[in-house]
Amino acid sequence: MDLSIETKCMYGDREGLKGEPTGSISFPIYQTATYAHPEVGKSTGFDYSRLQNPTRQHLERVVASLENGIDALAFSSGMAAITALMEIFKPGDHLITDIDLYGGSIRLFDNINEKNGISFSHINCSKEDVESYIKPNTKAIYIETPTNPMMNVVDIEKMAEIAKAYKLLLIVDNTFLSPYFQNPLDFGADIVIHSGTKFLGGHNDTLAGFVITNSTEISDKMRFIIKTVGSGLSPFDSWLILRGIKTLAVRMEKSQENAIAIVDYLRNEPKVKNVYYPGIKDSPGYEISKRQSRGFGSMITFEVESPELARHILKYTKLIPFAESLGGVETLLTYPFTQTHADVPEEIRKANGITESVLRMSVGIEAKEDLVNDLKEAISSYKG
């Protein structure tokens, strides 16, 4: 029988604890670097933990199940996952990427991958004619949806149609919605990326990254790369992410409920100029979100009336920390201008609307009344 996503968070592909001889309900941490062989030519299936580890393998099976992929690979961070993925391309290749991406991704593309001979066209994939940027050496389209931090929604199915027509790969960073709310492979993507540090882990206590695919060829390439570059996730961190995923469903639902309440408040606050959230009915991406996602998530970006007010809010919220991350049980406020997107070229920041008055909010699972009141008090205390 087909399992619901809530149940998959607990058991993955129904393998559950099959093959774990003790019957431990919490999958064990196999804290070992190497494995003994019965004799020459025979193996337990594990040789060396850089190649594979039972705890990491179990996590990868769960994540592959959640994203409806045939394979998932767990890396030491989200950026380690993207860095390894870029090794499937070679000097002379060209990629089309959305202009509004996590700043770390842009930093990698512009400073490391371009140095190594890969070129990029950064465009607005939700508005511009993507096909007009395709070149003979174009190999992939790389998007986030919703985008970080401006919450633009990109039509995955449309991008997949373009990619397949030109024999390109479609890569989708699905961090903001998690597999609980969105499954890009179901809409034609070839590869899904996650910063597992965020919603999958859910507790701001470890780093992780994932590459998921439904292609045997890509899986084989990525297995060779992770073995070679050595950036696989450690056993203990794999266990932490497994533990986090068990509560993914309830966390995502509660965080979304809180986010909707905060959006309602912010849209009626005179000192807030703009609120960016895909669940706003008159937002440009609302209908696309309804079609390709099961929810709108808990990430909000909003613009206040001045940079001074933005910095005041960051200083004077009493409950909500000013911190650079997202997806945990704690609500966090981030300042993209100096944090997540500080290394993005100024012209791109301006084009995307990332000003000194913009704040990004990752909404957690606290009481929504407390979160709204904390924002209210911080904003009302500003006398500028």
Side-chain angles (χ1 to χ4, degrees), residues 257-269:
E257 176 189 328
N258 286 352
I260 291 169
I262 291 169
V263 167
D264 289 343
Y265 157 66
L266 291 172
R267 295 187 76 198
N268 291 289
E269 169 53 59

Side-chain angles (χ1 to χ4, degrees), residues 81-82 85 142 171-175 191-195 210-211:
I82 299 170
L85 175 62
Y142 184 108
I171 303 164
V172 181
D173 187 324
N174 194 32
T175 298
I191 298 168
V192 174
I193 292 282
H194 280 282
S195 172
F210 293 93
V211 173

Side-chain angles (χ1 to χ4, degrees), residues 318-372:
K318 296 175 182 176
L319 175 66
I320 305 168
F322 168 28
E324 184 175 355
S325 193
L326 62 99
V329 291
E330 300 90 356
T331 297
L332 302 177
L333 274 168
T334 298
Y335 197 34
F337 193 83
T338 63
Q339 290 184 305
T340 55
H341 292 71
D343 291 333
V344 175
E346 185 178 359
E347 64 273 15
I348 293 181
R349 281 204 309 260
K350 286 182 177 178
N352 291 346
I354 304 172
T355 70
E356 293 181 77
S357 301
V358 167
L359 299 173
R360 192 191 73 186
M361 191 173 193
S362 171
V363 182
I365 65 170
E366 305 93 337
K368 58 189 173 186
E369 297 85 0
D370 293 336
L371 297 173
V372 170

